[in-house]
Structure formats: structure tokens, C-alpha cells
Amino acid sequence: MTETILFWVMAAVAVAGALGVVAAPKAVYSAISLAMTMIALAVLYIAQDAPFLGVVQIVVYTGAVMMLFLFVVMLIGVDSSESLVETLRGQRVAAIAVGVGFGVLLVAGIGNVSVAGFVGLDQANAGGNVEGLASLIFTRYLWAFELTGALLITAALGAMVLAHRERFERRKTQRELAVERFAPGGHPTTLPNPGVYARHNAVDVPARLPDGSGSELSVSAILQVREVPTQDDVTGRDGGR
């Protein structure tokens, strides 16, 4: 009874996280929803007497890979104006077709197991969970394991190729950069951080210049600059009090 309740609760959490991945308006929310789904799957693994898979799910995927994605999204940001532009034609149709294909495979696998019968957990973990998993990976599913490794290596190489940018001009020397900074219209010192000398210390609030105006250069180009009232506006609104 307890295992059944745990399954339905974690299944609901996993489905809610999966829906949040595709329905969230921001990439950060999608990453957090995906992390929630991974943690729910880890709990289900542990409940099914597979502690090794549960720990790997949390430490490797949720703790390392997913948090890496989240930090990258938070650091570089995502431009919402480019998120709806298809860089490859037909990618939405291909994604729908692949999703339907995976759904058919899932239904077929569940139906096959339902007809053939389930293998007991005691039999699967007869020599230990880690030992039994290693025996299956390196004997019965060795080809699938090697194919998955090759696929991951190919994906990593493809990501590096797509992220690589050719330099079309000569790299500037330190002297040339210093001359540009001290030239008219340049910035000899570093630009202020967002929110400096402002009423709100936020990344979308421009820093205040000595004349009281905001410096839009202090806010990232992918963010919408938030206008906040200046001290003069507050003083005028309060009648000088």
C-alpha cells in the first residue's frame, strides 16, 4: 500500500515537471522543472530496490548535468525574441514524429512485459544491485551501451562544432585596446554593475551616473531595462518632504 501511494505521488510530480519543461515561459523555469522530474525518477528507482540508479540519477544528472545547464542559462541568458525562430526547417514536425515514436515504443514495451510477466526484484538483485546492473550492461546490453557512448561522444563533438566561431579579424593587442578605451567616446574604466547607486540592486536596473541618469550600458542587451523612479522624482512626488 505504501509503495503504491509513493508511486502515484512521485508519478504525478514527474508528469507535472515534464509539463513544466515544455510549458514554462522561461528557460530557467524549464530547467528547474526538469530537475524536479529527475529527482522524482530517482525516488522511484530507490523504491524499486535500485539504489545505485537512484543515486546516479541524483548525483550525475540532477546534481551535475542539470545544474550545469541551469548555471549556463543563468549566466549567458536566453533571448526570447530568438526562441521561436526555427534554425532548422521541419524541426517541430520531426520532434513530434520522434515523440510519437517513443510513445509507441513505450506502449509496446509495457504491453510486452505485461504479457510475458514481470521479473521479481529478488531475482534481478540476486547478486546485488550494482553487480546485477554491471552484469547486464557488459554482457546482454553491451552493444546498446557502446552505441549510447558513441552517440554521446558524437553529440559532444557536434556541440563544440556548432559553438565554434571563426575569427574574421585579427586579434587586437593590449595597446590597441587601451587606445580605444581612452579615445573620445570610450570607457577608460570598467562599466558599473547593474543597480549601482540605484534604489534597487537588480540585474535589469541600470546603474546611476553622476548626473542621476541611468546607464543602459550596465544592463545586458538580452534584458529589458526596468525604469525606476529617481531621487528627484520621489522628492517631487512627496512635495519636498
Side-chain angles (χ1 to χ4, degrees):
M1 185 64 180
T2 304
E3 184 178 349
T4 303
I5 296 175
L6 178 63
F7 170 77
W8 285 110
V9 171
M10 289 295 102
V13 172
V15 172
L19 293 177
V21 173
V22 297
K26 296 184 179 180
V28 176
Y29 298 158
S30 296
I32 296 176
S33 299
L34 185 56
M36 181 176 66
T37 301
M38 290 182 176
I39 294 176
L41 293 178
V43 175
L44 291 177
Y45 286 147
I46 296 175
Q48 295 297 319
D49 290 340
F52 179 78
L53 291 179
V55 173
V56 169
Q57 182 75 19
I58 294 177
V59 175
V60 177
Y61 291 98
T62 307
V65 178
M66 198 60 250
M67 291 300 104
L68 177 62
F69 292 162
L70 181 60
F71 290 155
V72 169
V73 170
M74 294 175 64
L75 287 175
I76 67 175
V78 177
D79 192 353
S80 59
S81 62
E82 298 180 356
S83 60
L84 299 179
V85 178
E86 291 189 7
T87 56
L88 298 175
R89 287 188 176 182
Q91 60 179 354
R92 296 185 181 181
V93 178
I96 294 175
V98 172
V100 172
F102 274 113
V104 172
L105 291 177
L106 179 61
V107 173
I110 295 176
N112 186 22
V113 172
S114 300
V115 174
F118 294 92
V119 178
L121 295 177
D122 295 336
Q123 180 180 354
N125 298 329
N129 178 249
V130 179
E131 291 79 359
L133 182 63
S135 177
L136 291 175
I137 289 178
F138 294 105
T139 56
R140 182 176 180 180
Y141 300 104
L142 178 61
W143 171 246
F145 179 74
E146 296 293 339
L147 188 61
T148 304
L151 179 62
L152 293 176
I153 295 175
T154 305
L157 293 176
M160 289 188 292
V161 171
L162 293 176
H164 177 70
R165 295 182 179 180
E166 293 289 343
R167 182 179 296 275
F168 297 101
E169 57 184 10
R170 182 180 59 85
R171 181 188 294 271
K172 296 181 180 180
T173 62
Q174 292 289 339
R175 181 179 180 83
E176 293 174 345
L177 293 176
V179 171
E180 289 183 358
R181 291 176 60 181
F182 284 91
H187 300 276
T189 59
T190 57
L191 296 176
N193 294 324
V196 177
Y197 304 116
R199 295 171 58 85
H200 301 274
N201 188 15
V203 294
D204 59 345
V205 176
R208 293 299 177 187
L209 298 176
D211 60 354
S213 60
S215 175
E216 295 185 359
L217 296 177
S218 62
V219 180
S220 176
I222 65 175
L223 298 177
Q224 183 178 1
V225 179
R226 176 162 53 126
E227 296 294 338
V228 295
T230 61
Q231 186 65 32
D232 296 337
D233 297 336
V234 176
T235 303
R237 187 184 306 128
D238 296 340
R241 292 179 293 176

